[in-house]
Amino acid sequence: MNKKGLLLVFSGPSGVGKGTVLKEYLSRHPHTAFSVSATTRAPREGEIHGQHYFFLSQKEFDQLVERKGFLEHAQFAGNCYGTPRKAVEENLEKGIDVVLEIEVQGALQVKEQCPDAVLVFVMPPSFTELSRRLSGRGTEDETTVARRLSNAAREMEAAKRYDYILVNQTVEEAASQLEQIVCAAKHTARYLNKFIEEVEDDAKTCCK
Amino acid sequence: MNKKGLLLVFSGPSGVGKGTVLKEYLSRHPHTAFSVSATTRAPREGEIHGQHYFFLSQKEFDQLVERKGFLEHAQFAGNCYGTPRKAVEENLEKGIDVVLEIEVQGALQVKEQCPDAVLVFVMPPSFTELSRRLSGRGTEDETTVARRLSNAAREMEAAKRYDYILVNQTVEEAASQLEQIVCAAKHTARYLNKFIEEVEDDAKTCCK
């Protein structure tokens, strides 16, 4: 049987609740590793190095890029973000599933480099519902909400390029959907490639 | 939301227990339709027309082929077998999932015609185990068992072309795996295409 871990890439528009769904999923599957991203932006209050992000200087970041130390990396609002490759690959080799929560651009980079990665895009039940959730926070003015909705609309254009779509009606339900997706992904012919070959070899020996 | 049914194509070598797994799955999901194949072979004792097979004359079968009445059809040991298209399409339109239990050749024909079909191949935990199950029936002589094993080895070569692999350790477990595969298949970006488009259109109106 294939014992390699599954690489799960998780994206979705801001406000869709992907962090909450992931938190629920990870609490049900504590052996799944969550990949901590690296960034050149300054830590915000309360953010811990190695837990929320690896905070790197621009020089450190560039050196890692040069050494192909990132699985994917991209720039946003003048700051660099990236997924350190080593921890991901080590976990997968050990048979541990790894979750990346990254934006669309990075997710598609990962898919190119790791065709076995499973890309999951979280969608709201409707755009009206996303709009309601973003406005309902009450922490941002109308212009900010409008900008975030416009960003969300743009981000969702990539949904079709993902493998699976998770519709976030309730957190519990979405986490259960994710569990089913992970189980199914471990039953694709691609994932079980080695197992199929083993049985085939076995068959050749048997039927000689 | 997409309300079209899922077309599930189920194959696997003789002796792997796919019929038993399907029976368990269908008992858990009685609203899933099982497609009854048509054949030109004579009914065996106890076989009922419309339940086990639609028993057709060669002329009737050929006419249906000509009218594109089959989703797939093939010949085995001088007899013709086919999946009547109409019942399958009607059920899918009504939002009812449809299961076909057909051999490899037909399954790959279906995939070509219906790219949305989900192909599931049932494998034994090992070839030795399949050999044990086939010999253990005790109803066939050694030559027959050897021939069936050799057929199984050949059939399994197609496993990699299927979407999902179901490993039949126990019937209950395999049926549960199938449930997860069906749920996940209903969350692929391909299956939820219409839903994605709806949310996108909604977004365009919202962000105008």
Side-chain angles (χ1 to χ4, degrees):
Chain A
M1 276 285 192
N2 193 337
K3 292 287 180 208
K4 230 189 148 187
L6 192 76
L7 180 55
L8 202 68
V9 182
F10 215 64
S11 309
S14 153
V16 80
K18 57 184 180 300
T20 323
V21 173
L22 263 190
K23 208 174 152 188
E24 172 66 23
Y25 178 83
L26 291 170
S27 80
R28 296 187 195 174
H29 300 274
H31 290 297
T32 300
F34 182 78
S35 161
V36 177
S37 296
T39 181
T40 58
R41 82 154 163 75
R44 290 183 193 139
E45 210 183 309
E47 283 185 338
I48 299 162
H49 180 79
Q51 183 182 328
H52 297 94
Y53 281 98
F54 291 107
F55 296 100
L56 304 184
S57 68
Q58 189 65 52
K59 197 182 161 189
E60 289 169 324
F61 196 96
D62 292 344
Q63 282 175 341
L64 260 176
V65 170
E66 211 166 302
R67 280 190 240 134
K68 304 211 181 302
F70 289 117
L71 210 52
E72 58 81 31
H73 63 96
Q75 214 171 358
F76 294 99
N79 296 306
C80 296
Y81 295 83
T83 301
R85 179 193 296 274
K86 205 177 156 215
V88 172
E89 290 182 345
E90 281 176 357
N91 277 317
L92 293 178
E93 279 305 322
K94 278 186 232 159
I96 297 169
D97 295 347
V98 179
V99 177
L100 313 184
E101 186 190 342
I102 54 179
E103 43 56 64
V104 167
Q105 201 184 331
L108 299 175
Q109 276 183 50
V110 172
K111 189 72 180 177
E112 257 180 50
Q113 282 203 55
C114 316
D116 287 346
V118 174
L119 270 56
V120 178
F121 195 88
V122 189
M123 302 265 292
S126 69
F127 198 74
T128 317
E129 174 59 22
L130 182 67
S131 164
R132 204 188 58 71
R133 286 182 197 172
L134 277 173
S135 318
R137 287 182 174 179
T139 50
E140 285 129 355
D141 57 41
E142 257 182 54
T143 325
T144 312
V145 170
R147 187 172 44 76
R148 298 186 75 172
L149 277 175
S150 155
N151 284 343
R154 200 173 24 75
E155 282 162 352
M156 285 198 295
E157 284 171 16
K160 282 180 193 170
R161 300 174 68 184
Y162 279 63
D163 298 306
Y164 294 100
I165 304 294
L166 207 63
V167 185
N168 189 13
Q169 297 266 13
T170 72
V171 174
E172 287 70 25
E173 206 188 303
S176 300
Q177 281 175 24
L178 187 55
E179 287 181 319
Q180 286 164 335
I181 288 170
V182 169
C183 285
K186 289 187 175 179
H187 285 92
T188 56
R190 176 187 266 289
Y191 188 80
L192 291 177
N193 194 31
K194 271 189 193 159
F195 165 71
I196 297 174
E197 279 172 8
E198 274 166 29
V199 178
E200 278 178 1
D201 288 348
D202 199 1
K204 273 175 208 152
T205 319
C206 245
C207 297
K208 246 196 292 205
Chain B
M1 276 287 190
N2 194 337
K3 291 289 180 207
K4 231 187 147 188
L6 191 77
L7 181 55
L8 202 68
V9 181
F10 214 65
S11 309
S14 154
V16 80
K18 57 184 181 300
T20 323
V21 174
L22 263 190
K23 210 174 151 189
E24 172 66 20
Y25 178 83
L26 291 170
S27 79
R28 295 187 196 176
H29 300 272
H31 290 296
T32 300
F34 182 77
S35 162
V36 177
S37 296
T39 183
T40 58
R41 81 152 164 76
R44 291 183 193 136
E45 209 182 309
E47 283 185 338
I48 298 161
H49 179 80
Q51 183 181 328
H52 297 94
Y53 280 100
F54 291 107
F55 295 101
L56 305 183
S57 69
Q58 189 65 52
K59 197 182 161 191
E60 289 168 322
F61 195 97
D62 292 344
Q63 282 175 342
L64 259 178
V65 171
E66 211 167 300
R67 283 189 239 134
K68 305 210 180 302
F70 289 117
L71 210 53
E72 58 80 31
H73 63 97
Q75 216 171 357
F76 294 98
N79 296 306
C80 295
Y81 295 83
T83 301
R85 178 192 296 274
K86 207 176 155 216
V88 172
E89 290 182 343
E90 282 176 356
N91 276 318
L92 293 179
E93 279 305 322
K94 279 187 230 158
I96 297 167
D97 295 346
V98 179
V99 178
L100 314 183
E101 186 191 342
I102 54 180
E103 43 55 65
V104 166
Q105 201 184 333
L108 299 176
Q109 276 183 50
V110 171
K111 189 71 179 177
E112 256 179 50
Q113 282 203 53
C114 316
D116 287 346
V118 174
L119 270 56
V120 178
F121 195 89
V122 189
M123 302 263 294
S126 69
F127 199 75
T128 316
E129 173 59 22
L130 182 68
S131 165
R132 204 189 56 75
R133 287 184 196 172
L134 278 173
S135 317
R137 287 181 175 180
T139 49
E140 286 129 353
D141 57 42
E142 257 183 55
T143 325
T144 311
V145 170
R147 188 173 42 78
R148 298 186 75 170
L149 276 175
S150 155
N151 283 345
R154 201 175 22 77
E155 282 162 352
M156 286 198 294
E157 284 171 17
K160 282 182 193 166
R161 300 173 68 184
Y162 279 63
D163 298 307
Y164 294 100
I165 304 295
L166 207 62
V167 185
N168 189 12
Q169 297 265 13
T170 72
V171 174
E172 288 70 26
E173 205 188 304
S176 300
Q177 280 176 23
L178 187 55
E179 288 182 319
Q180 287 166 332
I181 289 170
V182 169
C183 285
K186 290 188 175 180
H187 284 92
T188 57
R190 178 186 266 287
Y191 189 80
L192 290 176
N193 194 32
K194 271 190 194 160
F195 166 70
I196 297 173
E197 279 172 8
E198 274 166 29
V199 178
E200 278 177 0
D201 288 347
D202 198 1
K204 274 176 206 150
T205 320
C206 246
C207 297
K208 244 198 294 205

